[in-house]
């Protein structure tokens, strides 16, 4: 596991739990609006690689917080590209912590193995775009079916979960929000996140966020498809 950073405590990233966040290095997508190109682009990743946190150090830290933490959030980059993820989750679980995985959904095979092993308590999956529209936004493989496969796996087998979309003006339309809602119809939880300007992987695109009225409209649309919708102004593009 390549661990790039640890956020010692979060009350926001694991619903209802006190958790620590561990960030993994590298990603299999190239989302144009990504705010963390240093964790994604290979030449940037190489600069960080000498400074990764050894697993032993991370687990010593966890041991010291046993009395305080409920769980661990594993996020990226993209954690499912890490070798040793299953063993990493197993070890966290065996220490008595809950495990939440944040994923872009591009590796349904890995998700299935983790679910088979029973080491995930919560999955948060990004639904980057409406079906048929992924490619232009995230790059990588043209095989969009793998995202659909991950959605189906989560809907049918995850102990707890949420889907989430970062919406960007000029990228997502009202029709796209309907299509995303339709794809995850009946889901338990959805988190709608407005894009916030800042450093992005594609620098020369004039990225813009939506107004609060437009966001409220998207929220209302998604409530037709999903049990509980949350809107966050803050972008968590990962
Ligand atoms: S937004 Fe997330 S999934 Fe997309 S490139 Fe960045 S880290 Fe990877």
């Amino acid at each position: 596991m390549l661990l790039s950073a640890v956020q010692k405590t979060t009350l926001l990233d694991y619903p209802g739990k006190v958790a620590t966040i561990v960030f993994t290095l590298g990603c299999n997508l190239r989302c144009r609006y990504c705010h963390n190109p240093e964790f994604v682009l290979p030449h940037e990743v190489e600069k960080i690689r000498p400074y990764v946190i050894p697993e032993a150090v991370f687990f010593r830290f966890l041991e010291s917080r046993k009395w305080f933490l409920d769980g661990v959030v594993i996020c990226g980059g993209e954690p499912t590209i890490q070798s040793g993820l299953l063993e990493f989750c197993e070890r966290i679980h065996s220490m008595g912590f809950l495990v939440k995985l944040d994923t872009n959904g591009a590796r349904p095979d890995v998700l299935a193995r983790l679910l088979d092993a029973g080491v995930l308590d919560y999955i948060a999956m990004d639904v980057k775009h409406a079906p048929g529209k992924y490619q232009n936004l995230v790059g990588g493989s043209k095989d969009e079916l793998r995202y659909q496969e991950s959605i189906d796996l989560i809907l049918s087998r995850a102990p707890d979960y949420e889907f989430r979309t970062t919406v960007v003006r000029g990228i997502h339309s009202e029709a796209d929000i309907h299509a995303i809602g339709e794809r995850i119809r009946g889901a338990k939880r959805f988190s709608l996140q407005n894009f916030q300007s800042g450093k992005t992987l594609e620098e020369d695109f004039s990225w813009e966020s939506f107004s609060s009225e437009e966001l409220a409209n998207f929220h209302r649309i998604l409530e037709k498809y999903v049990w509980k919708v949350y809107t966050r102004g803050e972008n968590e593009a990962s």
Side-chain angles (χ1 to χ4, degrees), residues 8 12 25 27 38 55 84 91 103 105 111 199 214 234:
K8 289 182 177 173
L12 300 174
L25 195 55
C27 186
E38 66 275 21
E55 282 187 43
R91 185 160 173 198
T103 181
L111 271 187
K199 179 181 58 174
E214 289 167 318
E234 202 181 346

Side-chain angles (χ1 to χ4, degrees), residues 30-37 40 195 199-202 237-238:
R30 297 290 181 269
C31 304
R32 294 163 58 199
Y33 60 75
C34 178
H35 280 316
N36 301 307
V40 169
F195 174 79
K199 179 181 58 174
T200 50
L201 193 145
E202 184 179 307
S238 77

Side-chain angles (χ1 to χ4, degrees), residues 116-169:
D116 287 345
V119 293
L120 299 182
D121 301 286
Y122 196 108
I123 302 174
M125 177 183 157
D126 293 334
V127 180
K128 303 280 187 190
H129 215 319
K133 292 197 166 178
Y134 256 73
Q135 184 60 31
N136 182 38
L137 183 58
V138 307
S141 162
K142 288 191 168 56
D143 175 15
E144 236 192 77
L145 286 178
R146 56 199 175 136
Y147 303 104
Q148 312 305 327
E149 202 180 315
S150 290
I151 289 173
D152 289 335
L153 264 174
I154 291 168
L155 285 173
S156 61
R157 295 183 52 199
D160 207 353
Y161 65 88
E162 69 185 55
F163 296 104
R164 56 191 190 183
T165 301
T166 297
V167 286
V168 190
R169 182 188 294 283

